[in-house]
Amino acid sequence: MEFPFDINQLFSERISILDQNLIASRQSKEKPDLRVKIATVLDELGKASAKAQDLPAPITSASKLQFQKHQLYLMKDGESSRGRGVVVGFLKVGYKKLFLLDRNGVHIEVEPLCVLDFYIAENLQRHGYGIELFNFMLQHQNVEPVLLAYDRPSTKLLAFLARHYNLRQSVPQVNNFVAFEDFFHKRAVSQLRRVKKSDGDIKPYSLMEREEVRQEQRTLPWPFAAPLSPHSSVSSQCSQSPSAGSSPRRVLPCVTHPAFAGDSREQSPHSPLMDCCRTRRSK
């Protein structure tokens, strides 16, 4: 893209890195009027990118870049236009907190570096500029292309990724981002966090436990109900006290019962209950 001013005066490097300060060189830092021209370049690039992708409005502009923590890689050809230079294209990236689905359908919370906008001027495509610009960004960010998430990639960008980086198998998402299969395999486990479902979909363990207790209590009328646990004795239930974090249980009274209906209903001479009664009678 050509502009009615010297591009080489605005951008000293072949690929310049811009952030919210809109500073591309020492000259643009010292001269505010140059930053106005840089803003003009960014606005025109954003409009051209939106038109190429059939977007209703630009997603890249100088004002958006000033209020977002994104980085924009702008590439120029300094020898064209009689030495005044032309803008080849740009690539905008930034970190986003996303909720993605892996291939098993599990929600993953992650904050990867995302490709947010990528544009090469139509008359300069198929000249190797795109791969040069993309590789520069990968080296500067020290990241692999498979570890990136791509925001609303066009068919051209998907073909570009398949041709140059063999990225073909993507995992379908419910949002506008695209992530490829190896995104979930190569990324460190510490960078992935599984998102729990809502409490309405998960039955609390304490509630399940209480239902099991109620089922056991319904088997026989009290006090002939079976113990709460087949491996626990009556004495252990009597001595057990609720602890912090444990589910509430109904504690049965400390009473021993005859094993058969025909047995005598008198307590054993060594029964603690009988000893207690004898003590009371002696008083």
Side-chain angles (χ1 to χ4, degrees):
M1 295 180 64
E2 294 187 5
F3 291 88
F5 41 77
D6 192 347
I7 293 298
N8 292 321
Q9 186 181 13
L10 302 179
F11 309 103
S12 57
E13 303 294 334
R14 178 174 175 82
I15 299 178
S16 300
I17 305 173
L18 299 171
D19 55 16
Q20 63 267 24
N21 297 316
L22 301 185
I23 296 175
S25 63
R26 182 178 299 177
Q27 289 183 344
S28 60
K29 182 178 181 180
E30 297 173 352
K31 298 180 179 180
D33 60 313
L34 295 182
R35 288 202 294 272
V36 175
K37 294 180 180 180
I38 292 176
T40 301
V41 172
L42 297 182
D43 291 343
E44 293 300 319
L45 285 173
K47 294 176 183 178
S49 178
K51 182 179 179 180
Q53 300 179 64
D54 294 326
L55 299 178
I59 58 177
T60 298
S61 65
S63 60
K64 291 180 184 295
L65 189 63
Q66 285 179 305
F67 290 98
Q68 297 169 338
K69 294 182 179 180
H70 298 158
Q71 286 186 317
L72 187 144
Y73 297 83
L74 187 144
M75 187 176 189
K76 72 169 186 178
D77 181 0
E79 299 179 358
S80 300
S81 187
R82 297 185 297 275
R84 298 192 345 177
V86 297
V87 176
V88 174
F90 74 97
L91 172 60
K92 186 175 72 172
V93 299
Y95 287 92
K96 293 277 190 180
K97 180 175 288 188
L98 303 176
F99 295 91
L100 301 178
L101 290 170
D102 64 10
R103 60 179 177 179
N104 296 321
V106 178
H107 279 88
I108 302 294
E109 180 183 355
V110 67
E111 191 171 358
L113 185 67
C114 303
V115 174
L116 304 174
D117 204 356
F118 187 25
Y119 172 73
I120 301 294
E122 282 78 1
N123 61 327
L124 297 176
Q125 294 178 8
R126 300 287 183 177
H127 288 74
Y129 292 118
I131 187 65
E132 180 183 354
L133 179 59
F134 205 92
N135 283 339
F136 182 91
M137 180 274 297
L138 294 176
Q139 184 177 3
H140 181 260
Q141 296 287 344
N142 191 25
V143 66
E144 299 179 47
V146 72
L147 297 181
L148 300 171
Y150 300 85
D151 185 13
R152 289 174 291 190
S154 63
T155 54
K156 287 186 177 181
L157 177 54
L158 292 175
F160 172 88
L161 296 173
R163 181 170 62 254
H164 295 290
Y165 303 106
N166 198 30
L167 296 179
R168 304 177 188 276
Q169 300 297 326
S170 63
V171 180
Q173 303 296 325
V174 296
N175 52 24
N176 294 321
F177 284 84
V178 168
F180 294 90
E181 283 191 355
D182 285 343
F183 175 92
F184 302 96
H185 300 305
K186 291 189 176 182
R187 187 168 292 274
V189 176
S190 59
Q191 295 175 313
L192 298 175
R193 189 171 75 87
R194 292 177 179 268
V195 181
K196 296 190 298 182
K197 297 180 181 179
S198 62
D199 292 340
D201 299 332
I202 299 178
K203 207 171 190 179
Y205 175 77
S206 59
L207 180 59
M208 295 174 62
E209 188 180 67
R210 287 196 293 270
E211 288 180 355
E212 292 178 0
V213 171
R214 285 195 293 267
Q215 290 294 335
E216 291 179 357
Q217 291 173 350
R218 292 194 188 102
T219 56
L220 288 174
W222 190 89
F224 299 100
L228 295 181
S229 174
H231 303 287
S232 61
S233 62
V234 174
S235 59
S236 64
Q237 294 174 11
C238 297
S239 61
Q240 184 178 4
S241 60
S243 59
S246 62
S247 301
R249 291 174 178 264
R250 174 184 290 181
V251 180
L252 299 179
C254 298
V255 179
T256 57
H257 306 287
F260 301 98
D263 290 349
S264 173
R265 299 183 62 86
E266 294 183 358
Q267 300 291 335
S268 170
H270 302 286
S271 170
L273 181 60
M274 182 62 71
D275 293 340
C276 179
C277 295
R278 288 172 182 174
T279 303
R280 289 180 179 177
R281 291 173 183 174
S282 61
K283 289 184 180 181

